[in-house]
Amino acid sequence: MKCLVTGGAGFIGSHVVDALIRAGHEVVVVDNLSTGRRENLNPRARFYAVDIRSPDLAEVFERERPEVVNHHAAQMSVRVSMADPIYDADVNVLGSLNLIRLSLRYGVKKFIYISSGGAVYGEPQYLPCDEDHPIRPLCPYGVTKFVVEQYLDLFYKHYGLHYTVLRYPNVYGPRQDPEGEAGVVAIFIGRMLRGEEVMINGTGEQMRDFVYVEDVVAANLMALEDGEGEVFNLGSGRGTTVNQIFHLLAAITGYRREPVYGPPKAGETFRIYLSAERAFRAWGWRPQVDLEEGLERTVAFFKGRM
Ligand code: NAD
């Protein structure tokens, strides 16, 4: 199939591109390189340096006529969304709408949308959090991610645009940006390997559901032909604190310094992990790479880049 992957120069999107190409699909990447990198681009994908908000996106659709759109491009930082909610909405809502509208116009058969299980539910009333949990985002990023889910549901009902939503947990692995605004694993590894101070925001007892990138990539392939009109949490069902991540990574990298604790960041959920029972029942999907193994692989990747 011909797949257009937005955000295909970014951390997760680039792994999705690689997996699609390995599976024999033809891939077109749209990315404005705002946080993505050229070196993440698979040379066998056709690349368009286009912003998803731009009118130029229509030319990409006109020329390429993709059958599948896999939408990873986003403003993905909670902190940026708190500081600049207009930019967040511009990229995440208006950019997505531009893409959805063109998908309808050019007869796309399947739209796979990446949402955030860590951001849309807010502070959970129960754990693990399933897809039926109330939506109560604590930050603009959670609002904009969810709004697009709602548009997709609407366009499915009105115009028959087939879609699947994947709500990601905290994804980590090779190519995550160690200098980025988000991604505690990559940030800690970068600082540990350079022997620099590691700052933990808040007490470090905040809990997240960490899943290795290869595992969420597998769900993207499953969603190509299945899961129509459905929303799936992806997660391990297990919470790990930021302090635990610090100690696991310190052991792997040989880092001996103590962490420095700073003030907590506004807008972030304190404790969340996700139930992916629905994805398991539908696709047999479950994370295959356990946390220690995934962290070791990620450290090995960053060591190789130094
Ligand atoms: P990333 O920043 O590495 O990837 C985002 C990509 O989108 C980048 O390559 C960036 O250049 C591109 N992009 C941003 N704005 C764009 C625009 N206006 N036009 C075209 N391209 C644009 O981040 P990531 O971690 O790989 O996130 C990918 C997706 O997964 C995002 O939708 C994010 O919200 C979602 N997600 C990520 C996590 C996680 O743990 N990393 C968790 C939940 C959801």
Side-chain angles (χ1 to χ4, degrees):
M1 271 187 289
K2 193 180 222 186
C3 307
L4 187 157
V5 180
T6 70
F11 159 45
I12 308 171
S14 66
H15 287 281
V16 170
V17 170
D18 293 348
L20 287 168
I21 287 173
R22 272 198 306 271
H25 300 288
E26 195 182 340
V27 178
V28 174
V29 169
V30 167
D31 195 304
N32 70 351
L33 300 176
S34 54
T35 55
R37 296 157 153 246
R38 264 182 202 276
E39 65 244 44
N40 290 342
L41 283 168
N42 188 309
R44 290 169 62 197
R46 244 187 325 284
F47 174 56
Y48 293 88
V50 170
D51 195 297
I52 54 168
R53 296 165 291 179
S54 159
D56 296 346
L57 192 61
E59 279 167 41
V60 179
F61 274 79
E62 179 63 34
R63 192 171 316 160
E64 298 289 352
R65 310 263 168 176
E67 295 161 271
V68 173
V69 169
N70 179 300
H71 182 26
H72 272 77
Q75 183 308 106
M76 52 74 72
S77 159
V78 167
R79 291 167 210 175
V80 169
S81 84
M82 296 289 285
D84 192 351
I86 292 179
Y87 172 67
D88 178 75
D90 196 24
V91 174
N92 291 357
V93 181
L94 298 183
S96 297
L97 271 177
N98 193 26
L99 196 66
I100 291 170
R101 215 174 36 116
L102 290 166
S103 299
L104 273 168
R105 189 188 303 161
Y106 286 90
V108 164
K109 295 195 184 81
K110 182 70 183 273
F111 192 103
I112 299 168
Y113 172 63
I114 306 309
S115 182
S116 169
V120 301
Y121 299 115
E123 205 57 60
Q125 293 167 356
Y126 58 85
L127 289 165
C129 208
D130 59 24
E131 295 85 350
D132 298 323
H133 186 282
I135 303 293
R136 295 207 183 117
L138 296 176
C139 60
Y141 168 70
V143 173
T144 58
K145 280 276 148 182
F146 184 65
V147 161
V148 175
E149 293 189 21
Q150 297 285 286
Y151 276 118
L152 284 169
D153 192 48
L154 216 88
F155 288 131
Y156 178 54
K157 286 175 183 143
H158 287 306
Y159 312 115
L161 177 66
H162 295 175
Y163 77 94
T164 298
V165 172
L166 302 176
R167 289 184 184 153
Y168 281 177
N170 259 61
V171 184
Y172 70 95
R175 300 184 193 152
Q176 193 163 26
D177 186 0
E179 314 298 333
E181 274 290 331
V184 67
V185 169
I187 294 168
F188 282 10
I189 293 175
R191 301 194 71 85
M192 285 177 178
L193 290 181
R194 292 191 300 267
E196 293 168 3
E197 181 181 281
V198 172
M199 159 89 81
I200 293 179
N201 304 315
T203 61
E205 286 307 297
Q206 59 272 44
M207 196 174 255
R208 301 278 180 272
D209 192 337
F210 292 90
V211 173
Y212 190 63
V213 63
E214 236 173 54
D215 281 317
V216 300
V217 167
N220 279 270
L221 268 78
M222 292 164 179
L224 279 178
E225 316 215 29
D226 205 6
E228 193 167 307
E230 284 194 88
V231 176
F232 295 95
N233 277 353
L234 302 180
S236 68
R238 176 181 149 202
T240 304
T241 66
V242 171
N243 284 329
Q244 286 170 324
I245 292 287
F246 175 87
H247 291 298
L248 285 166
L249 287 175
I252 297 169
T253 58
Y255 183 77
R256 299 199 190 287
R257 295 169 68 168
E258 290 300 315
V260 175
Y261 289 89
K265 293 286 176 186
E268 290 189 342
T269 308
F270 186 59
R271 192 164 282 165
I272 187 157
Y273 45 96
L274 305 172
S275 162
E277 275 311 301
R278 185 182 288 174
F280 181 69
R281 282 197 306 275
W283 298 332
W285 183 89
R286 222 164 235 177
Q288 301 297 311
V289 180
D290 73 31
L291 184 59
E292 289 73 10
E293 159 87 25
L295 293 178
E296 275 173 19
R297 286 198 211 174
T298 310
V299 169
F301 167 83
F302 282 109
K303 270 189 176 162
R305 263 199 358 191
M306 287 188 87

